[in-house]
Amino acid sequence: MKIVIGGAQRSGTSLLRSIVGSHSKVAMFPYDLRLWTYFGARHSGQNLSLEQAESLLRGILSDKKALMADVLPTVDEVQALLSQSEIEGLTANQVFDCFLEAYASRRGKPWWGLKTPWNEFYAGEILENLADVVFLQIMRNPLDSAASAKHVEGGSWFYDPFSHIDRWRRSAQASRKNVELYPGRYHVVRYEDLAADPAGTARNLCNQIGLEYEEGMELGLKQPGWPGSNSSFVASVGSSRPLKKRTIPHYLRTVYNYELAEEMRALDY
């Protein structure tokens, strides 16, 4: 099995990664490596020569998010997997698959996983080109996601309300469309459900994707790179930090409620 996680920034994507990555069979890559959102976008629809595939692989291995990982496969290890595959015309998807498989092998686990915000915009390409992939998308009330983005520790350099509204809308629309297009392979998790009942939600999610629930995995304590929380807005599962509720200004809340009324209603927000 292969697990890809997506969702809007500041919506609990890292929390979901920590939970799934705490399963004994799943090697979730510990950081937001932008395989599809950056590297894949540069090679979309292309057949790659061996030289181009190696260049792509070296680019991935030298990415700052890759260099932060606990372990990394070598170029030779990934190329060995590529050579074993019966592939006519290498694509970026095959390179990504073999890279993550080699990473999982390094971790001694049979299944790989990767989380990167906005992966859902590439879900069709991922699911149609890679077998045995299940996609998990986490959704969060956009008012809370916006507040978290606006007040995140270190500054809100990536938060622009109108860009956030547009992306959240497209993300919500993708969640509904992809559940219908890929039944059994595409699953949507609400952050609020995960926060209210982490064990129950994790157990239900495991049942949906064919994993055996493991006691305590909802704490996320076995995922490399997970500090217990990365939120300055709400205390995450397993965190001892106190709840610190922050909001966006009233005028922005009005804009969000107006612009996203249909999508919010569909998700019971």
Side-chain angles (χ1 to χ4, degrees):
M1 181 185 293
K2 303 156 187 179
I3 301 172
V4 177
I5 294 175
Q9 289 172 308
R10 311 307 299 175
S11 291
T13 55
S14 295
L15 173 61
L16 185 57
R17 172 176 58 197
S18 75
I19 291 171
V20 177
S22 289
H23 195 283
S24 63
K25 291 185 177 180
V26 183
M28 288 294 301
F29 200 81
Y31 300 104
D32 295 357
L33 190 57
R34 300 174 298 162
L35 294 187
W36 286 279
T37 58
Y38 174 71
F39 291 103
R42 298 172 64 194
H43 298 280
S44 179
Q46 298 178 17
N47 285 331
L48 307 178
S49 67
L50 290 175
E51 292 77 14
Q52 289 173 319
E54 181 176 339
S55 176
L56 171 58
L57 177 58
R58 291 188 182 278
I60 293 168
L61 288 169
S62 63
D63 186 87
K64 64 180 181 180
K65 294 292 186 179
L67 296 174
M68 293 167 62
D70 51 344
V71 294
L72 273 180
T74 65
V75 171
D76 289 342
E77 288 170 342
V78 181
Q79 287 182 324
L81 290 175
L82 285 169
S83 66
Q84 293 170 15
S85 305
E86 296 181 2
I87 300 171
E88 294 184 6
L90 283 172
T91 67
N93 281 301
Q94 273 101 35
V95 175
F96 301 159
D97 188 14
C98 289
F99 166 78
L100 291 167
E101 184 178 341
Y103 171 74
S105 179
R106 278 271 184 154
R107 294 269 310 275
K109 299 191 176 187
W111 298 338
W112 63 248
L114 179 72
K115 181 277 285 190
T116 311
W118 314 118
N119 269 340
E120 63 270 27
F121 297 150
Y122 302 87
E125 177 182 341
I126 294 168
L127 293 168
E128 290 172 14
N129 287 282
L130 294 178
D132 302 324
V133 168
V134 293
F135 199 107
L136 310 180
Q137 180 179 349
I138 190 163
M139 295 298 302
R140 184 182 190 180
N141 188 311
L143 301 175
D144 294 338
S145 174
S148 184
K150 185 174 176 60
H151 296 289
V152 64
E153 292 173 358
S156 55
W157 58 268
F158 62 81
Y159 176 67
D160 169 76
F162 296 102
S163 175
H164 184 262
I165 285 171
D166 178 65
R167 280 191 163 190
W168 194 94
R169 178 190 291 111
R170 291 192 292 123
S171 181
Q173 291 170 347
S175 72
R176 286 191 285 173
K177 179 186 73 174
N178 289 328
V179 164
E180 294 180 0
L181 287 175
Y182 307 103
R185 298 184 68 196
Y186 201 98
H187 306 274
V188 177
V189 183
R190 294 197 335 150
Y191 172 85
E192 292 78 11
D193 297 333
L194 198 56
D197 182 14
T201 306
R203 188 184 299 274
N204 182 57
L205 182 60
C206 284
N207 289 336
Q208 290 179 334
I209 66 176
L211 271 179
E212 183 178 348
Y213 170 78
E214 294 180 347
E215 198 71 33
M217 62 182 290
E218 66 276 0
L219 299 177
L221 301 179
K222 297 180 181 179
Q223 168 62 28
W226 174 245
S229 170
N230 69 345
S231 177
S232 61
F233 175 60
V234 174
S236 295
V237 177
S239 171
S240 60
R241 294 172 58 182
L243 183 72
K244 185 166 61 174
K245 182 75 172 180
R246 288 177 172 170
T247 62
I248 55 176
H250 177 72
Y251 76 91
L252 267 186
R253 296 177 68 87
T254 302
V255 173
Y256 271 81
N257 283 318
Y258 175 77
E259 292 288 340
L260 299 175
E262 179 182 348
E263 291 78 13
M264 291 175 67
R265 188 163 48 246
L267 287 158
D268 295 326
Y269 291 140

